[in-house]
Every structure is written in structure tokens, then in C-alpha cells.
Amino acid sequence: MEAFRHLDAVAVPLPQPNIDTDRIIPARFLSRPREVDHGDFLFHDARRLPDGAQDPEFPLNRPDWQAARIVVAGRNFACGSSRESAVWALFDAGFRCAIAPSFGDIFRSNGTKNGLLPVVLPADVVEAIIAQLEATPGARIAVDLPAQTVTAPDGSVHPFEIDPFAKHCLLEGLDDFGLTARYEDDIAAFERRYGRENRL
Amino acid sequence: MAEAPRTLFEKIWDRHRVLEREDGQTLLYVGRHLLHDGGATAFDMLRRRGLTPRAPDRIFATPDHYVSTVGGTLDAIPDERHRGMVEKLARNTAEFGIRQFGLGDPNQGIVHVMGPETGLSQPGLLMVCGDSHTSTHGALGALAFGIGSTEVAHVLATQTLWQRKPRTMRITVDGTLGPQVTGKDVILAIIAQIGAAGATGHVIEYAGSAIRGLSMEARLTLCNMSIEAGGRAGMVAPDETTFAYLHGRPFAPQGADWDDAVARWRQLPSDPGAVFDTEVTLDGSAIEPMVTWGNSPEDALPIHGAIPDPAGAPDAERRGQMERMLAYMGLTPGTPLTEIPVDRVFIGSCTNSRIEDLRAAAEVARGRKVAEGVRAWVVPGSAPVKRQAEAEGLHTVFRAAGFEWREPGCSMCLGTNGDIAAPGERVASTSNRNFMGRQGPGARTHLLSPAMAAAAAVEGRFADVRRLLGA
């Protein structure tokens, strides 16, 4: 997994609430293996007009936000389906951080296992940042994971909470397979105990 | 000193805890892991790490997302990539000695129908599956939740999962439900009240007299859509309804083991005085048959409601969101739901494709005809549901009314197998998500119960099923 420490990048606002993972990547692209570049599937239908042409109004299609690596979204971002390809689509399109007042729980977990940092900030802070991004398209945000802060385009600094375990894995670029292997004896002991009660 | 009272959730959590680190991360043991044909990537991840499944006897699989609902065979799947997904599940499970109910197997079906139906889903178990609707199995008193592909690979390799303890929410629904008010209407009313993120970070326990009175199938519908309220899992405490449902099922304990299991399961319900982080209450007698109008399951109204006006929205954000949804859905504020015509009807999905759902829809379809211009499908949730329905003659009722009677699978709920609606088509659907594009680009989904879907099919527009059945 790619490590995440600091990021200073263009941020794109997606102010709507409840942007679901079906929106982020439609179901018809789910049969692709991970090796396939998922970037082209990101908001595949949402960013197109009914005739299939790119919608010039969609934020990700606007020249100012082509280089965006941070998405700042409305509440309950990436709710719905557990599809990890929602993270892959964002990651392959260059995104490494998503900021929102709240996330779908499964997406949040999938993100931290793929080098995409989910940051929860208070709704009024997110609203203010979105207003700044819309007022100055192409504005940048700085994310400091060790310090757990987000610096908005106006220079204001906002602390955020993150699970210490997820933080450690993101900082080091570790996945949890190696960590779990260290607890082999505990798992084996548990299995002997548990197996007696849960025969199949 | 007496132990502190614990919730149903806490009892299962504690029982599956291998260890807890100082930072609060807990390694949980997975009692039952379910797989479907969308999980090929997890096996790729496993192989790349040179790992193999740790406990194949705790893993069960069935194809559902990519199967054809026209013919229940591999050859009937027209798309090569889709066929490949079903083939990969068969190959991966065969290679590692995992039990698969494949195409043609008498137990094949939607994974969340198969689990309860075979008795694999049981009270007190910790269950996971790479699908957000894994919350379904909580209806039996299990702790069951959906996970992503990387987590699936981790569970395959270690039979464990790292989690931080979620918060708990109790949703109490008291009172007596009115006629034709189903589990679907209860959960839509709950989500309308608490919102699509109302239970984010929580495990929900459903309680109260209206919940206790629900059949197992209605409880499965209820728990299924917990994720649509943001909940990680939904649960109902096991009781006589649960035990009666499970007794005699192929993977349920048998003989003396059954008695032991029931004695254990009776200890599971939340202790008196157990504390939940959040409490929500609803009056069950006030719930009516529901229909959604927007693109989030929280946008639900009683059937006698009218499309809301964005001008009345509490703030600019909600106003903008409502305007976008109404434009997508092709709806005008003020239109009564009962005046909105439908193009398609889909009765199926892990939410509402069980035998009781099909019986309820057939009761409405019996002796009636699908309205001119409406295309209506019934997709049973599993091979056993299909066999049972056919034994009861329900397929004949549906066909006589003009419904298509299809093969089991996820089908139009998310259209991964190609079963989608055309752009602009309005679908009355018993599934779980009315998201933009969920049932195909431009498709307009309205969620409702099986009986209400059948009523929409025969009337050609949303209709109050109570009027049709003289309730």
C-alpha cells in the first residue's frame, strides 16, 4: 500500500450530500480486476450528459480541477455499496484524500486499506472550505497526517481525529495482514475454544 | 459482583474477540464467511500474498450478482466477463475446498437469501460477506456486516478482522402494524425519520412489540436495509419465531445439539438495563405503506403523500438536492404518488424475494392483469424459494397476470448481470436502493413492498394495496 504522510494539492468540491458508491463507480464496471485502471470509471455516468458527451459543468471535468487530488464532499459521502472499486476509482484518478462531515462506514475502512485518507471535519468547516474552493477554483488544501490537520485555502487550520491504528498503517504504508500474522498463537487458541461450541 | 448488563451486540462481540489492543483495535474471529461471484479480486489478493484460506469449512459461497435470470446455467450468461465471474467463483472455491452452492445446485440463490434459508446464519454468530447487505443476517440474532475486498482477503487468510467497537442504537417500534404494512414499510419509515446517515457508526438493534410481531422474513427485510440508514449492522434478538424458522434447516444444529444451541441462544437477548448509545422510537400503528420519490431511501412517503416542493425545503442545500432529484426522477412537486405511472415492476432482491414476499405479491396479482405497457418481473431469491413458489402455484398466478417468472439472482436490484431498465424508465422496485443510475443509467427507481409493487403493476401507477385487497 502507498504510504500517506503529507499532501498539498488542488481540491475539488462535490457539495451534495449522500453521494453513493454507485455514483462513484456504476455497477457495470465492477467485474474488472484490480490491475485495470479504474480512473476512467470515476463518476462515469455522473460526469456525462445523456448523449454520452462529457458534461462541462461537472466539477471533475472543469480545467481548474483536472489536477485535483483531494475531494471535499457533502455529508454521508460514499454511502451504500461496499464496493472497494469506489476507492480504486478515486485512487487511480489521482485522489489520495477525501474530506467530508461523514462517510459511509465501509468506504472509510476501504480507504484506509488502500492509501486514501478519509478525513472527517465538522459540517460548518466543510461548508466553509467548499465555499472557498468554489470561489477560487484550483485552490489548494494541505493535509498533514502526522499532525492530524487540514489547512484550508484561506490558511485556517483544522484538526481532525483518526483511529491510531489506521494512522499508523497509512503513515507506514502497511496493510494489516503482516500485523495479524504476529497474533497467530492467539488465533489458534481462540479457534480451539470456539470450535467446540460452534461445530458445523 | 454481578456483571454489567450487556446488549445482544456486546455479547456477540465479546464472544468473538480474539484480543483487544491498547489502541482499541479488536481482532474478531469470523464464525461464518459468505462469498458471492463479485469476490474474485479478494482471491487475487490472497494469491499475490502467497496465502490460502485458513478455515475453508467456515466459508460458504453461491453465485448471484452475475447469473442470468433467463436461464439458470453458465451458458445462459451472454456476457463473457460476467460468465467469467461465475466461473472464477466455482474455480476458487473448488481449489480451496470451500463449499459452493453453484448454478444448478438446489441451494443456489442470492447469498443473503441462501444463508438464512440453509440455516448457515444463526443466532450469536459473527458473520461477514463482501456485500453491504450482509446486515440481513442480523435478523436471526447474528452480528453480520459487509466488508470490502481487502477485508475479504484478510478474512480468507486469517478468519479474523480488525475492528473498532461501533456505537449501539436501539430502534423501538411499538404498537400494532396496520393491514398490508410490512417489514419494508417499517424500515422505509425508520430511514425517513432518522435519515440515510442516521445510524452511521452504529450497530442497530430493532426492538418493541411491532418488531417482535414480525415474521422472520419481514425481519430479514428490516435488517437488510440497516445499511441504508448508515448502520453497519442491524439485529433482532432471537426468540421463538427465530427458533421455529431455523429448526430442521440443513445447516441448523440437529438433535441434542439443537437443544443445546437453543439454550445458548436464549441467553443472547440484551439484558434488562443494558445501555445503548442512541435510542430511537417509532409508533408502529402510524406507519403506512411507503413509496420513495427521490434518490435516497430516506426520501420515502406514505402512499397517500404527494411529491414535495423544494420551495419548502429547510435550507438551500436540501433545496438544491431536491431539485436535482426531481429533475432526475422526472417528477413535479405536488403530484400525488397515486397519479405517477410506472413502466417497469421488479419484485426480487435480497430485500424482498423470499417466499412470503412472493405470496404477498401473488395475492394482489391473482385474478388481475398487469396494466398495458408495464413490464413486470418476479425474480425469486433462490432455487428453494422458486421451488416452493412453484409448488404453491404462485408462478401460475404471476404468469396468468402477465408477470415474467424468472430464475434466481440479484438481477435488477443493481443490474450487474445486465438486467437493467432503459434511461427514463420508471421502476416500482422491491429492492433497497433508489440511487441515480442504480438500475441502469437514467433509470428512475421507487422503492416499495412486494404487495405494493404488484399493485403498481396491475394499476399501471402507484396504488394503495389496501384498496385493492379491501383491507
Side-chain angles (χ1 to χ4, degrees):
Chain A
M1 183 174 93
E2 185 181 296
F4 185 108
R5 295 189 73 79
H6 305 275
L7 178 64
D8 183 328
V10 173
V12 59
L14 295 172
Q16 295 87 354
N18 297 335
I19 293 176
D20 56 73
T21 52
D22 275 80
R23 226 39 204 147
I24 296 173
I25 178 167
R28 63 183 183 281
F29 302 118
L30 300 190
S31 54
R32 272 48 167 203
R34 180 65 190 101
E35 292 72 41
V36 171
D37 182 346
H38 280 61
D40 290 342
F41 307 143
L42 180 64
F43 288 107
H44 185 278
D45 297 345
R47 69 197 296 170
R48 283 171 175 78
L49 296 165
D51 67 3
Q54 298 278 337
D55 176 359
E57 294 300 310
F58 191 80
L60 293 183
N61 292 337
R62 291 175 47 175
D64 290 324
W65 287 316
Q66 289 295 308
R69 303 189 72 199
I70 299 169
V71 56
V72 185
R75 67 187 153 79
N76 204 21
F77 181 66
C79 59
S81 159
S82 60
R83 58 191 69 172
E84 197 158 313
S85 45
V87 172
W88 304 337
L90 283 161
F91 190 93
D92 290 357
F95 290 90
R96 294 294 179 272
C97 178
I99 299 171
S102 59
F103 289 90
D105 286 335
I106 308 178
F107 175 88
R108 204 172 165 184
S109 171
N110 288 340
T112 59
K113 291 177 193 302
N114 285 276
L116 184 103
L117 172 67
V119 172
V120 174
L121 289 178
D124 57 336
V125 172
V126 172
E127 203 177 317
I129 293 177
I130 285 174
Q132 293 165 39
L133 297 175
E134 287 178 338
T136 315
R140 300 173 78 88
I141 285 178
V143 182
D144 183 333
L145 180 55
Q148 295 181 214
T149 59
V150 167
T151 305
D154 68 358
S156 57
V157 178
H158 308 277
F160 64 89
E161 294 294 321
I162 182 168
D163 181 89
F165 181 76
K167 179 179 177 178
H168 173 74
C169 289
L170 279 162
L171 285 174
E172 302 299 326
L174 295 173
D175 66 30
D176 46 15
F177 287 77
L179 176 85
T180 309
R182 288 191 231 151
Y183 296 103
E184 169 57 34
D185 291 349
D186 300 87
I187 299 172
F190 182 93
E191 273 179 329
R192 285 191 292 275
R193 197 162 73 233
Y194 184 83
R196 283 195 294 273
E197 278 183 40
N198 289 276
R199 288 184 296 268
L200 271 171
Chain B
M1 198 180 81
E3 277 182 64
R6 291 183 300 166
T7 64
L8 164 63
F9 156 75
E10 286 164 334
K11 292 177 188 183
I12 302 176
W13 176 274
D14 290 349
R15 207 164 146 271
H16 290 83
R17 185 175 47 215
V18 176
L19 61 97
E20 183 172 342
R21 288 160 41 112
E22 277 180 14
D23 61 9
Q25 280 291 326
T26 304
L27 189 64
L28 295 173
Y29 195 76
V30 174
R32 206 79 93 221
H33 184 191
L34 303 180
L35 300 173
H36 58 77
D37 49 359
T41 305
F43 281 95
D44 295 343
M45 293 174 175
L46 199 68
R47 286 200 180 84
R48 257 201 307 277
R49 290 178 164 86
L51 300 168
T52 56
R54 178 186 181 94
D57 59 332
R58 297 199 175 280
I59 313 171
F60 294 83
T62 191
D64 54 11
H65 283 64
Y66 292 96
V67 302
S68 163
T69 57
V70 177
T73 63
L74 199 57
D75 292 341
I77 303 172
D79 184 292
E80 191 185 344
R81 194 179 276 119
H82 297 170
R83 203 160 53 239
M85 297 299 276
V86 176
E87 285 173 322
K88 276 182 213 166
L89 181 68
R91 258 202 321 275
N92 285 325
T93 51
E95 180 180 338
F96 296 117
I98 294 166
R99 180 76 181 268
Q100 190 211 197
F101 307 116
L103 286 176
D105 186 287
N107 284 316
Q108 181 267 330
I110 304 175
V111 67
H112 307 310
V113 177
M114 179 278 283
E117 189 168 67
T118 54
L120 284 167
S121 313
Q122 294 172 14
L125 279 181
L126 192 149
M127 302 179 63
V128 299
C129 174
D131 189 278
S132 61
H133 290 110
T134 307
S135 57
T136 310
H137 308 269
L140 292 126
L143 171 59
F145 51 89
I147 55 178
S149 304
T150 304
E151 290 175 318
V152 168
H154 187 275
V155 176
L156 285 172
T158 68
Q159 202 58 27
T160 64
L161 192 63
W162 291 100
Q163 292 281 294
R164 173 170 286 276
K165 201 172 191 174
R167 292 190 293 273
T168 53
M169 172 183 282
R170 177 163 55 191
I171 300 180
T172 304
V173 188
D174 280 319
T176 306
L177 300 180
Q180 300 299 326
V181 175
T182 67
K184 184 60 155 287
D185 304 301
V186 174
I187 189 63
L188 286 174
I190 288 171
I191 301 167
Q193 177 170 323
I194 71 173
T200 300
H202 290 76
V203 164
I204 303 169
E205 179 175 340
Y206 299 97
S209 58
I211 304 299
R212 294 257 72 84
L214 292 177
S215 67
M216 187 48 59
E217 268 124 341
R219 294 178 187 184
L220 289 161
T221 302
L222 181 77
C223 290
N224 172 273
M225 288 187 68
S226 301
I227 183 76
E228 264 51 75
R232 200 65 208 278
M235 316 173 80
V236 175
D239 59 9
E240 298 309 318
T241 301
T242 320
F243 308 145
Y245 175 89
L246 275 175
H247 189 71
R249 294 194 180 263
F251 288 91
Q254 314 287 334
D257 286 347
W258 170 258
D259 297 333
D260 290 349
V262 171
R264 270 204 321 276
W265 296 341
R266 287 191 196 283
Q267 306 302 312
L268 285 168
S270 295
D271 299 325
V275 177
F276 293 80
D277 295 304
T278 312
E279 295 270 6
V280 172
T281 56
L282 272 84
D283 174 7
S285 64
I287 300 174
E288 299 206 49
M290 304 287 282
V291 180
T292 66
W293 59 269
N295 297 112
S296 167
E298 69 187 12
D299 305 316
L301 287 170
I303 178 65
H304 291 293
I307 301 304
D309 191 338
D315 54 54
E317 178 200 283
R318 179 63 178 162
R319 186 157 58 247
Q321 184 197 19
M322 288 174 72
E323 284 166 354
R324 278 188 303 277
M325 294 194 295
L326 292 181
Y328 180 86
M329 295 297 287
L331 294 169
T332 310
T335 311
L337 284 169
T338 51
E339 287 179 15
I340 299 170
V342 304
D343 305 299
R344 306 280 301 260
V345 173
F346 171 60
I347 298 173
S349 87
C350 59
T351 311
N352 275 129
S353 64
R354 299 179 181 84
I355 189 65
E356 189 181 276
D357 299 319
L358 304 195
R359 286 179 190 142
E363 188 187 350
V364 178
R366 193 181 301 275
R368 295 188 170 90
K369 291 281 179 201
V370 171
E372 184 81 27
V374 174
R375 195 172 173 205
W377 289 10
V378 183
V379 183
S382 69
V385 169
K386 183 163 186 273
R387 280 196 305 277
Q388 177 66 28
E390 290 180 351
E392 295 178 19
L394 303 185
H395 63 315
T396 315
V397 173
F398 285 122
R399 281 182 178 148
F403 287 82
E404 288 181 38
W405 177 248
R406 300 174 74 95
E407 297 293 327
C410 300
S411 186
M412 268 184 89
C413 173
L414 77 169
T416 31
N417 71 337
D419 288 351
I420 58 171
E425 277 191 328
R426 190 175 304 286
V427 190
S429 179
T430 67
S431 54
N432 40 59
R433 290 184 176 138
N434 50 359
F435 298 162
M436 292 180 183
R438 171 82 174 176
Q439 295 190 299
R444 295 162 169 166
T445 306
H446 297 258
L447 306 176
L448 69 192
S449 75
M452 285 287 287
V458 300
E459 296 265 309
R461 60 191 61 223
F462 296 112
D464 188 339
V465 66
R466 295 171 297 193
R467 180 173 57 71
L468 271 74
L469 295 181

